[in-house]
Amino acid sequence: MTVLEPVAAVAALSLAAIVALYFLKARRPARLVSSTLWWRPLVLDRHAAVPWQRLRMSWLLALQVLAAALIVGALLRPAFVSAQALAGQTIVVVDTSETMQATDLAPSRFAAAVADARALVDRLGPHARMTLIAMGPDPEVIASTVGQRQPLLQALGALRPSDGPADLQDALQLAVGSAGPRASGTRLVILSDGITAPLTEPVTLPFPVEYRRLGVSRENTAVTSVTVVPGVTGETAVAHLEDFGQEPAQVTVEMFADGRLADAQTAALAAGGGQDVTFSVPPGAGYVKVVLLPEDDLVADEGAVAVTSPPSRVPVLLVTSGDVFLQKALSLRADVALTTEAPSAWRPGQASSPDFDLFVFDGFVPPKLPTQVPFLVVGPPPDRQLGSGRAVAPGRLLPAEANDPLLYDVDLSNVDVAAAASLHGSAFGRVVIGSAAGPVLLVRNEAPGEPAAAILGAYLHDSDLVLRAAFPILVNHLSEFLAPDAVPALSQPPGGAVTLAPGAGAKELIVTRPDGHTDVLAAGAASLAASGGTVLFTDTGEVGLYKVTVVERTGPDQHGYLAVNAPGTSIAPESQLGVTGSTGSVLPRASRYQELWPVLAAATLLVLLLEWVVYHRAR
Amino acid sequence: MSGAARLGPGDAPAVTLSGAAAALGITPELLRALERLSLPSRRPVLGATVGRRRSRRYGSSLDLADYRSYVPGDDIRRLDWGAYARLGRLLLRLYAGEEDACVTAWVDTSASMAWDPVGKERVARGLAGALVYLALAADDRAACVGFADGVTGRAGPVRGKRSAPRLWAALASLPGGVATDWRAVAGAARSVPRGVALVFSDFLTDELPKQALAALRRAGHEVVLVQVLSPLELSPLLRGELRLLDAETAASVELTLGDAAIASYQRARAEHTRSLRALAASHDARLVTVHGGLPLRQSLLGQLVPARVVR
């Protein structure tokens, strides 16, 4: 037996009121006021005289109290419970994102979600359809059956939480697709803590939706990033710690170098605040891992890894008469090893030198352009190989195409170039930056016998380009386009796609995941050459260090490391998802109730009738 | 939809005004007036997503907050290349963050609020509805919680002013409770995201809301107490030999009411307001008293704007 309207117990006050009427003396006209708070000082010394009278037994009192008790009982809506099975189509979305690993629900939010899903599967009716959707970084339908529980239970048993975010938008699209064109009889149950990638706008679905919120804790500390910074005396690891909760935290931060404990510190984190902690990295260490202790409810973001130095340096040769801005802009890239030499020191044999991955020629064009190594020419003199001519006055610069990746965040609106080499007649490559006087930046992609290359026509000393923030960004984009990293040096978020660039000279690309599993991404030089020497790696769902091995056609294998770290997030469960469904019951009630109020109402009428009889007999 | 109105082109963005909005006294004219107002917070916030309020974190607003030395791996878009040209040092610009806040309207639904025949409860819920709309229009999140001797209802947090009708419907239908128990607010202080807490009540309780204020501040809320009083509480019309019954506790007092008694009543009211104001100040909160007999627009523009709760 249960009570459906416990709030109605307030009506029990009426019993006291009835009794009070029998022994309170009515002395003055009563007026209801919001509160007697401000009136009470007036009567502190004037208590009313004897407000009570002796309570005497009365059948009327007993019957009225009984009637009131029956009415209160009816208002409480007491009911018996009976179970009911699912019918129609039920779509269950199970959140498998990182925050579902939180252990504030024993053993975890994810386990609680799976248990809830199993309970729904157990209630599946004989002709009812159920579809299970795993909501991680890439939501997918993991099972869909009619009346069969075993495939659903097997899919739930094989389900594992990921280290990535939950893509609610894609999961809802899958749910709508699974529902089919006729949504009647369909219901959606979302088992989640509500921490998902934000919806672009509130979503309304054509069927009822129930969001079962999982999780209670808001407290979470995390290592949100680790960066290894070169310094004068050696490398320093800078870890950023964040307290996403509402209570301050005292933590111990341990730093492991190549898997061995190297240092530890304590840190006091303010609620909602962050703090940087630095460690000296032992010489020769390949990677560092920073870990927080004690562990809180979410372990996945308690540690982060970083490669101590870029897995492979990019040797760049700058041939210049001396331009400090260009030199500094090139050296901003963390993995660049920059060498500078004067144009007079250039030897023709260097054009095919394997010692450099990129040549940058400033105000100088070698007699024979490199045929193997990518190059960038800045402010070239007139040259037939490049098609550059005499100086022109471009003035304001204009992007040739909207959304060219080479011009992301490059603001050309306030750049003025007084003089540049004319590239009007050059067929060197596609135009990236133009002007009233013709192209200013030409870029060409890699082709057989021709390395990737670019020409920036502007004479740097006759332009304010070098003084603008656009300059280092543009140089950085060109440098990364012409000589990309084999493996990104910066940490990547889990679940994202990463471009690996082993180069066209590679034969095979092998990635070893943190759990030891090995993926051969590209076998054979032909497949790598066909993809321009780059491979898109998407299986980054697990946090940790990924080892990337590039098997070269000639020469020794190259090794690099890719760090994948959880970005850290609040684990406070959201009360709502921003998803609304059509009206109606989401699930057949977990319980069906047989209510008793009609019986109580009938008994009340009987008692009131009796009270009427007693009253008139007493008269 | 019966009883619904929609603002037209050129007006405030389209929000369907349902029967709940009408019950709260929210009209298209009031919404247009709200579009020109804002709900300021006195301190930088710690929000959940990008918003319009100054954040305690660094972010990506246009306001420069600080510099630090550049280290490899930093976002070179934030590099102060001009400073390098002048100083020869690579410095990174740090910008002030702008985040949202969650504005929660805590609405007293006790019997003393419902007692007033003139309608102070309607004014309290109407002001709550207007201020949550104000928050939603400024890219904040908003929620509402009804309380009396416990939490009597809640809705939100929601985002976007198209979600305002949901909060209005919740505000209009908050069930009434019996007596105000500030422990209910204290217990629920952490159940809503931190931000701005607007507490609408008559504060007619034996104990001042010290426990609730302390809990709201500990939970990271900036607190504004909005005391809504009926004209019959501000200037009682009662005279003669009467027994006054307390709407919440059912306690009674027997009095002979004349001019002297009314003057004594006004002194007790003033003393209570002073204590409440001092308590609010000691918790870095603000108190504003609103006349519960005025139209909603007049309460908003004539009382909350001068008190700088909105501007």
Side-chain angles (χ1 to χ4, degrees):
Chain A
M1 173 116 80
T2 186
V3 173
L4 300 182
E5 295 288 350
V7 178
V10 173
L13 289 173
S14 61
L15 275 72
I18 291 171
V19 174
L21 287 174
Y22 277 81
F23 70 95
L24 276 180
K25 283 183 178 177
R27 298 179 65 84
R28 303 182 184 209
R31 295 284 185 274
L32 189 66
V33 293
S34 57
S35 171
T36 55
L37 178 68
W38 295 332
W39 296 109
R40 265 179 264 152
L42 279 70
V43 291
L44 282 178
D45 56 349
R46 284 186 274 162
H47 287 291
V50 195
W52 317 104
Q53 61 181 347
R54 187 180 169 193
L55 187 63
R56 296 170 184 166
M57 175 54 197
S58 160
W59 278 110
L60 281 177
L61 170 62
L63 289 171
Q64 287 169 2
V65 168
L66 180 58
L70 288 170
I71 291 171
V72 171
L75 291 174
L76 286 168
R77 293 178 61 195
F80 292 111
V81 181
S82 63
Q84 193 173 7
L86 290 177
Q89 178 172 219
T90 306
I91 302 170
V92 181
V93 173
V94 181
D95 188 346
T96 61
S97 65
E98 176 204 1
T99 55
M100 292 296 284
Q101 299 178 42
T103 54
D104 52 341
L105 298 181
S108 71
R109 294 180 184 181
F110 175 76
V114 170
D116 276 5
R118 285 182 190 276
L120 290 171
V121 171
D122 287 341
R123 291 177 53 197
L124 189 65
H127 303 294
R129 170 178 286 278
M130 181 172 283
T131 301
L132 294 176
I133 296 175
M135 179 170 68
D138 297 306
E140 59 177 330
V141 176
I142 56 172
S144 183
T145 66
V146 177
Q148 293 184 328
R149 300 177 184 178
Q150 202 54 34
L152 298 167
L153 293 172
Q154 281 178 352
L156 285 172
L159 197 59
R160 296 287 177 269
S162 76
D163 289 333
D167 190 337
L168 178 60
Q169 190 98 34
D170 276 7
L172 293 178
Q173 284 176 356
L174 277 179
V176 171
S178 301
R182 294 185 61 191
S184 62
T186 299
R187 63 197 70 87
L188 172 63
V189 181
I190 302 174
L191 306 171
S192 170
D193 55 12
I195 304 168
T196 66
L199 294 171
T200 52
E201 58 184 14
V203 173
T204 301
L205 297 175
F207 38 75
V209 178
E210 178 181 332
Y211 162 46
R212 294 191 185 176
R213 186 176 65 169
L214 299 167
V216 292
S217 174
R218 295 168 170 269
E219 301 307 316
N220 182 34
T221 53
V223 183
T224 59
S225 69
V226 177
T227 312
V228 176
V229 182
V232 177
T233 57
E235 290 180 313
T236 302
V238 183
H240 185 74
L241 317 178
E242 190 87 20
D243 182 354
F244 292 99
Q246 296 185 337
E247 300 289 343
Q250 184 81 26
V251 294
T252 301
V253 195
E254 293 183 343
M255 194 271 283
F256 295 83
D258 289 343
R260 287 186 293 278
L261 181 64
D263 197 357
Q265 299 180 24
T266 59
L269 299 176
Q275 184 179 331
D276 286 340
V277 178
T278 58
F279 297 96
S280 294
V281 177
Y287 68 93
V288 297
K289 181 172 185 179
V290 175
V291 177
L292 284 186
L293 291 173
E295 292 179 347
D296 58 19
D297 289 334
L298 184 60
V299 179
D301 59 7
E302 299 287 90
V305 292
V307 182
T308 55
S309 54
S312 60
R313 308 292 287 180
V314 179
V316 176
L317 177 63
L318 171 62
V319 184
T320 178
S321 301
D323 187 301
V324 69
F325 285 99
L326 182 58
Q327 190 173 337
K328 182 57 78 175
L330 282 167
S331 61
L332 287 175
R333 192 172 150 189
D335 56 348
V336 158
L338 188 66
T339 306
T340 306
E341 71 176 30
S344 58
W346 176 262
R347 299 284 175 271
Q350 284 180 281
S352 56
S353 168
D355 297 336
F356 295 100
D357 287 351
L358 175 65
F359 291 122
V360 180
F361 303 114
D362 177 25
F364 163 75
V365 180
K368 184 173 182 300
L369 290 174
T371 55
Q372 303 283 334
V373 180
F375 60 90
L376 165 67
V377 186
V378 180
D383 184 82
R384 292 178 59 187
Q385 302 174 90
L386 301 177
S388 58
R390 303 169 68 90
V392 293
R396 296 282 174 184
L397 304 185
L398 298 167
E401 286 181 20
N403 300 322
D404 190 323
L406 287 173
L407 296 182
Y408 282 167
D409 301 313
V410 176
D411 180 10
L412 297 174
S413 61
N414 57 355
V415 176
D416 195 66
V417 177
S422 171
L423 299 174
H424 190 71
S426 175
F428 184 81
R430 68 183 175 91
V431 180
V432 176
I433 297 177
S435 72
V440 174
L441 176 62
L442 298 176
V443 170
R444 84 175 181 204
N445 293 325
E446 183 180 4
E450 282 188 346
I455 310 172
L456 178 63
Y459 299 144
L460 297 183
H461 293 286
D462 293 318
S463 150
D464 62 2
L465 174 60
V466 291
L467 300 176
R468 304 299 182 201
F471 181 66
I473 301 173
L474 177 62
V475 170
N476 197 65
H477 287 339
L478 288 171
S479 159
E480 288 181 344
F481 168 73
L482 296 170
D485 289 320
V487 181
L490 295 177
S491 167
Q492 304 294 316
V498 178
T499 300
L500 303 175
K507 189 171 70 177
E508 201 169 78
L509 182 65
I510 302 167
V511 177
T512 306
R513 288 193 244 160
D515 61 1
H517 187 269
T518 297
D519 294 318
V520 179
L521 296 185
S527 66
L528 276 167
S531 61
T534 62
V535 175
L536 199 62
F537 178 56
T538 58
D539 199 3
T540 57
E542 186 181 357
V543 296
L545 206 61
Y546 291 67
K547 183 178 180 183
V548 180
T549 303
V550 179
V551 181
E552 303 284 0
R553 274 182 286 187
T554 58
D557 297 349
Q558 303 288 325
H559 298 286
Y561 290 95
L562 171 68
V564 174
N565 292 316
T569 181
S570 167
I571 62 167
E574 293 289 340
S575 58
Q576 294 192 4
L577 285 179
V579 180
T580 51
S582 61
T583 55
S585 172
V586 172
L587 290 172
R589 302 284 297 182
S591 306
R592 188 174 59 193
Y593 300 105
Q594 291 183 342
E595 298 198 38
L596 299 178
W597 70 264
V599 177
L600 294 172
T604 304
L605 284 175
L606 194 64
V607 170
L608 288 177
L609 181 64
L610 194 59
E611 192 260 356
W612 181 82
V613 170
V614 170
Y615 174 73
H616 282 280
R617 281 196 175 180
R619 295 180 70 186
Chain B
M1 182 190 304
S2 171
R6 180 176 281 274
L7 299 182
D11 295 324
V15 173
T16 301
L17 294 184
S18 60
L24 297 175
I26 292 173
T27 62
E29 292 73 26
L30 181 67
L31 291 189
R32 275 192 287 274
L34 289 171
E35 292 287 331
R36 296 191 291 273
L37 297 174
S38 65
L39 186 64
S41 50
R42 295 197 291 192
R43 290 185 299 276
V45 301
L46 274 175
T49 61
V50 174
R52 297 189 201 170
R53 293 177 190 269
R54 183 72 175 265
S55 168
R56 282 154 58 185
R57 301 187 179 97
Y58 292 126
S60 56
S61 74
L62 296 176
D63 296 330
L64 184 66
D66 202 355
Y67 283 95
R68 71 165 168 78
S69 294
Y70 169 84
V71 292
D74 281 336
D75 185 353
I76 63 169
R77 293 173 299 179
R78 298 189 175 187
L79 197 62
D80 193 333
W81 194 246
Y84 173 70
R86 292 192 301 277
L87 307 174
R89 284 183 60 202
L90 288 173
L91 295 173
L92 200 70
R93 292 193 198 95
L94 301 176
Y95 293 94
E98 287 185 337
E99 295 182 345
D100 68 344
C102 183
V103 175
T104 305
W106 297 79
V107 181
D108 185 353
T109 62
S110 66
S112 67
M113 294 293 286
W115 154 84
D116 176 23
V118 183
K120 68 174 180 179
E121 183 177 49
R122 183 172 180 268
V123 170
R125 295 188 184 203
L127 283 176
L131 295 189
V132 297
Y133 177 81
L134 203 56
L136 294 174
D139 294 340
D140 284 329
R141 287 166 294 155
C144 63
V145 181
F147 67 93
D149 41 359
V151 171
T152 57
R154 63 170 66 224
V158 298
R159 186 188 300 281
K161 45 188 181 179
R162 287 177 192 279
S163 303
R166 284 174 53 200
L167 293 187
W168 293 337
L171 281 168
S173 61
L174 282 176
V178 184
T180 306
D181 186 347
W182 293 110
R183 286 174 297 184
V185 177
R190 290 188 186 278
S191 67
V192 293
R194 63 186 153 203
V196 179
L198 305 165
V199 185
F200 296 90
S201 173
D202 50 19
F203 296 98
L204 294 178
T205 51
D206 285 341
E207 292 188 4
L208 292 172
K210 186 175 180 180
Q211 195 177 354
L213 267 175
L216 287 169
R217 292 288 296 123
R218 274 200 304 276
H221 298 285
E222 182 177 328
V223 185
V224 180
L225 306 179
V226 183
Q227 185 181 33
V228 186
L229 293 178
S230 160
L232 299 177
E233 289 164 341
L234 294 167
S235 303
L237 302 175
L238 300 171
R239 295 292 186 278
E241 301 277 338
L242 295 173
R243 188 160 60 90
L244 304 184
L245 288 174
D246 190 306
E248 292 192 357
T249 64
S252 67
V253 293
E254 295 185 348
L255 293 171
T256 302
L257 297 180
D259 290 345
I262 296 299
S264 174
Y265 168 90
Q266 294 292 12
R267 283 195 296 276
R269 183 172 73 81
E271 178 57 33
H272 180 261
T273 303
R274 268 195 297 277
S275 304
L276 197 56
R277 195 176 300 282
L279 176 69
S282 69
H283 287 81
D284 200 18
R286 287 175 284 169
L287 170 71
V288 56
T289 301
V290 170
H291 192 295
L294 297 177
L296 194 55
R297 182 186 172 93
Q298 199 172 335
S299 297
L300 189 73
L301 300 178
Q303 297 187 287
L304 294 189
V305 170
R308 298 190 176 186
V309 174
V310 296
R311 63 185 178 201

